[in-house]
């Protein structure tokens, strides 16, 4: 619903000073709550066009100025290893099942090309419909739809809106920075 100001002959009144300032940034919990609510919207989820070959996505309006996406995952697709730089985020599987591989280690934010990971840093999560997670800055992970025959759909939210995504390759315990993408590369 949109509101339109009415025309009146009453002189304008100056607003009272506001002490509230800008709206606070959404927390990881708020991003996860948004992703859960959105993933539960069956009409929205079913409206996403699904491609049998590649991922599809629609940008959504996230809470508090966050960036949000509804993403369709064909069978056998994934993101590859990446992070979301200085953004925090959350995602929830709306249908199907996704697997997240992540690193339980804080990596340097910049200034490196290759890192040797220690044993024990790998984590794996299986996220069925309705399940998700939030994460902090510099969280390195990959998300996969390992199903041989079923699409998955998920909702993702990030704050601040993604300034960049860093993509990595991984061979054994060696993680290598391969590419830095900016918003104009994926929007």
């Amino acid at each position: 619903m949109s509101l339109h100001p009415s025309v009146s002959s009453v002189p304008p009144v100056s607003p009272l000073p506001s002490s509230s300032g800008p709206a606070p940034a959404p927390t990881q919990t708020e991003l996860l709550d948004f992703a859960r609510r959105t993933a539960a919207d069956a009409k929205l989820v079913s409206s996403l066009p699904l491609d049998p070959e590649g991922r599809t996505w629609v940008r959504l309006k996230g809470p508090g100025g966050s960036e949000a996406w509804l993403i369709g995952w064909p069978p056998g697709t994934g993101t590859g290893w990446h992070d979301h730089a200085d953004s925090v985020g959350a995602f929830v599987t709306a249908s199907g099942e996704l697997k997240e591989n992540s690193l339980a280690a804080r990596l340097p934010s910049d200034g490196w090309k290759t890192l040797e990971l220690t044993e024990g840093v790998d984590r794996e999560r299986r996220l069925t419909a309705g399940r998700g997670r939030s994460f902090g800055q510099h969280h390195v992970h990959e998300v996969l739809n390992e199903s041989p025959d079923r699409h998955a759909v998920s909702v993702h939210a990030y704050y601040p809106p993604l300034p960049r995504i860093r993509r990595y390759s991984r061979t054994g315990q060696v993680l290598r920075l391969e590419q830095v993408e900016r918003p104009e590369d994926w929007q």
Side-chain angles (χ1 to χ4, degrees):
M1 170 191 288
S2 120
L3 299 174
H4 300 282
S6 59
V7 177
S8 169
S9 61
V10 177
V13 177
S14 297
L16 293 173
S18 172
S19 62
S20 63
T27 65
Q28 290 178 43
T29 300
E30 290 166 334
L31 294 174
L32 183 58
D33 289 344
F34 164 82
R36 282 194 176 118
R37 286 191 313 274
T38 305
D41 183 340
K43 185 176 179 181
L44 175 66
V45 171
S46 67
S47 74
L48 180 67
L50 300 176
D51 182 314
E53 305 277 326
R55 289 188 298 153
T56 54
W57 54 86
V58 172
R59 189 161 188 172
L60 305 171
K61 183 177 179 183
S66 64
E67 180 173 345
W69 299 90
L70 180 65
I71 301 176
W73 305 77
T77 59
T79 60
W81 287 95
H82 69 282
D83 73 14
H84 305 98
D86 296 322
S87 297
V88 298
F91 72 100
V92 171
T93 303
S95 67
E97 178 180 280
L98 293 172
K99 175 184 171 186
E100 180 199 34
N101 294 319
S102 64
L103 301 177
R106 175 109 176 142
L107 303 181
S109 59
D110 285 308
W112 64 276
K113 288 292 227 178
T114 303
L115 288 176
E116 186 168 337
L117 303 170
T118 60
E119 294 292 327
V121 298
D122 290 296
R123 299 293 181 268
E124 178 184 307
R125 288 180 179 81
R126 297 226 172 242
L127 303 167
T128 56
R131 296 197 56 212
R133 65 149 321 168
S134 63
F135 51 85
Q137 296 174 329
H138 311 292
H139 174 71
V140 177
H141 68 165
E142 67 175 346
V143 180
L144 309 158
N145 177 5
E146 293 186 321
S147 171
D149 57 5
R150 186 168 179 211
H151 269 79
V153 176
S154 57
V155 177
H156 302 246
Y158 311 100
Y159 189 87
L162 296 172
R164 60 189 169 160
I165 292 177
R166 293 180 292 213
R167 300 221 174 257
Y168 305 98
S169 63
R170 182 167 177 190
T171 306
Q173 293 301 106
V174 177
L175 188 70
R176 180 172 287 111
L177 177 64
E178 297 291 345
Q179 180 180 6
V180 178
E181 296 176 2
R182 307 266 180 230
E184 56 271 14
D185 297 326
W186 65 80
Q187 295 181 2

